[in-house]
């Protein structure tokens, strides 16, 4: 009976006759039970925690890797212009929102300036205090997590030509995040995984505006520029971009089309040079500043369409003129969006390299306007780049 009783208690554990699931043969007293429960707890809890950590970390790594893989083929950047005023007007607020946008899209690949980098009269040397007061102490502060270590691709505006634009080139020679190797240049920007590419042609528009040869800028600086050489380079770059079927945008300071009360000859000079060559090779997307506000204008002609992304609201704002005030009333019909407060544009090229999304963002982080462009590399006419 004792043996049977022992066998039965092993199968059906109850009371003080309970056996340990770890294989102990004798009934456990209360103190013993507490002792062994403590030992089991001491052994099992670290094992459970370890397994949870391992599996948790593994799952997190998988999620992060998938996320990185997904975003690494995209190309993201912000573009802003007319900004260098030692943090005054909207400059600080716009910088903060640029940083925020880059954070929310999981980092920007680079930053683009549409010119007028230093007010009111450019810089005279690479040691100018303006680099510190208007650039480094605004965009390179520790709080600007997504701006401070980024790469800035620059171009010149008319205010940069009031002094010595070459000083900005010299500054870039000792500051690797400031890129402007010459007044006009080309860059192929690769995605993180190298599978995607965006080509940007930076043009120097100031020497293309005839009125500046009569005054308003440093005459010695502007006459040094060879406009024929620049336009020859520009045509060659457009031709190569078309033949190589790479998504291409053009960045300059002066607009091709805009609502402005500036001298109408500025637009005419730009249309006779930059727009004429863009039309020839059906490269349609142009980023500019100069007007001190945000605008978007879509201009369709018989054999060409040009999309004007105007982002010149980096600091001081100029009101947008009415139809009665503007020198070119026809521009009213082209204009699809206008905003006269601080802001910038955030731009994303999708992972397939065939769609560009442009978002106009205010100094208060409002999405003001959005436009998407589709790229068809097989098209050789005005349908090569299209609004969608």
């Amino acid at each position: 009976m004792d043996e049977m009783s022992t066998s039965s208690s092993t199968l059906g554990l109850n009371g003080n006759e309970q056996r340990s699931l770890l294989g102990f043969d004798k009934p456990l007293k209360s103190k013993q039970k507490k002792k062994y429960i403590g030992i089991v707890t001491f052994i099992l809890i670290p094992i459970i925690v370890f397994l949870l950590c391992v599996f948790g970390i593994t799952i997190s790594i998988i999620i992060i890797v998938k996320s990185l893989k997904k975003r690494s083929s995209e190309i993201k950047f912000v573009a802003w212009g007319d900004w260098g005023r030692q943090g005054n007007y909207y400059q600080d607020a716009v910088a903060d929102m640029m940083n925020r946008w880059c954070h929310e899209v999981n980092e920007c690949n680079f930053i683009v300036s549409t010119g007028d980098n230093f007010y009111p009269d450019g810089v005279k040397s690479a040691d100018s205090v303006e680099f510190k007061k208007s650039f480094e102490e605004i965009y390179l502060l520790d709080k600007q997590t997504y701006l401070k270590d980024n790469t800035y691709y620059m171009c010149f505006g008319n205010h940069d030509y009031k002094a010595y634009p070459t000083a900005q080139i010299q500054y870039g020679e000792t500051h690797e995040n400031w890129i402007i190797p010459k007044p006009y240049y080309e860059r192929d920007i690769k995605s993180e995984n190298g599978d995607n590419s965006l080509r940007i042609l930076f043009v120097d528009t100031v020497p293309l505006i005839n009125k500046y040869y009569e005054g308003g800028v440093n005459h010695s600086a502007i006459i040094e520029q060879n406009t024929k050489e620049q336009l020859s380079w520009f045509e060659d770059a457009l031709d190569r971009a078309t033949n190589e079927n790479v998504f291409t945008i053009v960045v300059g300071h002066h607009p091709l089309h805009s609502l402005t009360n500036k001298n109408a000859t500025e637009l005419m000079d730009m249309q006779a040079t930059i727009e004429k060559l863009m039309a020839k090779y059906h490269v349609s997307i142009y980023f500019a500043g100069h007007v001190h506000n945000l605008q978007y204008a879509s201009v369709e002609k018989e054999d060409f369409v040009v999309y004007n992304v105007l982002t010149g609201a980096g600091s001081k704002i100029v009101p947008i003129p009415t139809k009665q005030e503007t020198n070119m009333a026809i521009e009213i019909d082209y204009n699809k969006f206008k905003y006269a407060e601080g802001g910038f544009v955030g731009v994303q090229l999708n992972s397939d390299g065939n769609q560009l999304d442009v978002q106009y963002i205010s100094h208060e982080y409002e999405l003001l306007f959005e436009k998407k462009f589709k790229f068809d590399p097989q098209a050789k006419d005005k349908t090569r780049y299209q609004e969608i």
Side-chain angles (χ1 to χ4, degrees):
M1 290 292 295
D2 288 341
E3 291 180 359
M4 291 178 62
S5 176
T6 301
S7 176
S8 297
S9 63
T10 303
L11 296 173
L13 304 178
N14 54 74
N16 291 330
E17 297 286 316
Q18 289 180 340
R19 306 284 185 169
S20 168
L21 293 176
L22 294 178
F24 292 100
D25 292 329
K26 294 181 179 180
L28 300 177
K29 294 181 180 180
S30 179
K31 289 184 178 180
Q32 289 177 311
K33 285 193 287 184
K34 289 182 180 179
K35 177 181 178 182
Y36 287 117
I37 289 172
I39 293 172
V40 171
T41 302
F42 180 80
I43 294 172
L44 288 179
I45 287 179
I47 294 173
I48 292 170
V49 171
F50 174 78
L51 291 174
L52 288 173
C53 288
V54 169
F55 282 107
I57 292 171
T58 301
I59 292 170
S60 298
I61 290 173
I62 291 171
I63 292 171
I64 292 170
V65 169
K66 286 184 177 179
S67 177
L68 286 171
K69 185 177 180 181
K70 180 180 179 181
R71 73 170 187 260
S72 65
S73 58
E74 297 174 346
I75 296 175
K76 295 159 286 191
F77 67 96
V78 296
W80 92 130
D82 304 278
W83 48 269
R85 295 183 184 270
Q86 298 190 6
N88 293 316
Y89 301 96
Y90 286 104
Q91 189 179 5
D92 278 334
V94 171
D96 290 343
M97 296 306 103
M98 289 165 58
N99 184 69
R100 180 175 172 181
W101 190 88
C102 287
H103 165 66
E104 295 194 359
V105 299
N106 294 319
E107 301 186 11
C108 294
N109 298 83
F110 57 95
I111 316 292
V112 165
S113 169
T114 58
D116 272 5
N117 306 321
F118 299 104
Y119 287 94
D121 299 318
V123 292
K124 294 181 179 180
S125 74
D127 299 324
S128 171
V129 69
E130 287 299 321
F131 286 106
K132 182 177 181 180
K133 296 293 185 181
S134 291
F135 177 62
E136 295 172 11
E137 292 184 353
I138 308 296
Y139 306 100
L140 307 189
L141 296 176
D142 286 341
K143 72 170 184 174
Q144 308 294 16
T145 310
Y146 297 90
L147 300 181
K148 65 186 181 77
D149 296 320
N150 223 311
T151 300
Y152 291 74
Y153 292 100
M154 320 303 291
C155 70
F156 294 142
N158 52 296
H159 282 267
D160 300 309
Y161 264 91
K162 287 179 178 286
Y164 299 101
T166 53
Q168 296 187 40
I169 296 175
Q170 293 166 357
Y171 176 82
E173 292 171 354
T174 57
H175 296 76
E176 61 182 9
N177 63 339
W178 180 282
I179 308 297
I180 182 164
K182 56 186 298 186
Y184 53 90
Y185 60 104
E186 174 183 331
R187 277 294 182 274
D188 276 351
I189 311 294
K190 297 289 185 181
S191 60
E192 291 177 3
N193 66 4
D195 292 342
N196 202 3
S197 180
L198 174 67
R199 182 166 297 175
I200 307 180
L201 306 180
F202 294 88
V203 293
D204 185 13
T205 62
V206 182
L208 302 176
I209 307 299
N210 290 317
K211 74 171 191 176
Y212 292 133
Y213 292 90
E214 301 171 3
V217 298
N218 181 348
H219 187 69
S220 64
I222 197 170
I223 62 173
E224 290 177 357
Q225 307 306 319
N226 187 327
T227 56
K228 290 184 178 179
E229 184 179 276
Q230 178 182 187
L231 293 175
S232 176
W233 161 84
F234 187 51
E235 181 166 15
D236 177 69
L238 291 170
D239 186 31
R240 284 186 288 103
T242 300
N243 291 329
E244 293 169 13
N245 293 329
V246 59
F247 202 120
T248 302
I249 63 174
V250 180
V251 175
H253 182 64
H254 291 81
L256 303 175
H257 299 271
S258 69
L259 296 179
T260 179
N261 52 16
K262 295 180 182 291
N263 194 317
T265 61
E266 293 183 15
L267 298 179
M268 295 176 181
D269 290 341
M270 289 298 297
Q271 291 164 17
T273 53
I274 297 300
E275 182 178 281
K276 181 179 179 180
L277 290 173
M278 290 176 65
K280 180 177 180 180
Y281 295 95
H282 300 290
V283 174
S284 299
I285 304 173
Y286 181 70
F287 286 71
H290 190 52
V291 291
H292 292 254
N293 48 56
L294 300 175
Q295 296 184 37
Y296 174 72
S298 174
V299 182
E300 185 169 359
K301 300 182 179 180
E302 182 178 353
D303 58 350
F304 178 60
V305 59
V306 61
Y307 308 114
N308 300 265
V309 179
L310 305 189
T311 173
S315 56
K316 187 177 181 180
I317 300 302
V318 172
I320 297 169
T322 64
K323 186 172 184 177
Q324 290 71 32
E325 295 170 333
T326 183
N327 287 306
M328 294 189 72
I330 190 173
E331 298 294 332
I332 294 289
D333 298 326
Y334 298 146
N335 194 275
K336 304 295 190 297
F337 164 77
K338 54 186 182 292
Y339 179 77
E341 291 186 44
F344 63 97
V345 296
V347 187
Q348 297 186 70
L349 180 66
N350 71 349
S351 58
D352 294 327
N354 62 3
Q355 182 175 308
L356 196 75
D357 184 4
V358 178
Q359 297 180 333
Y360 286 78
I361 309 294
S362 78
H363 65 286
E364 296 179 333
Y365 209 69
E366 300 171 286
L367 176 58
L368 303 168
F369 182 76
E370 186 171 15
K371 183 59 64 175
K372 298 178 187 292
F373 304 97
K374 195 77 172 180
F375 173 55
D376 180 3
Q378 304 307 315
K380 303 301 179 184
D381 56 16
K382 67 179 182 180
T383 65
R384 189 173 177 83
Y385 295 88
Q386 296 184 73
E387 292 177 312
I388 57 174

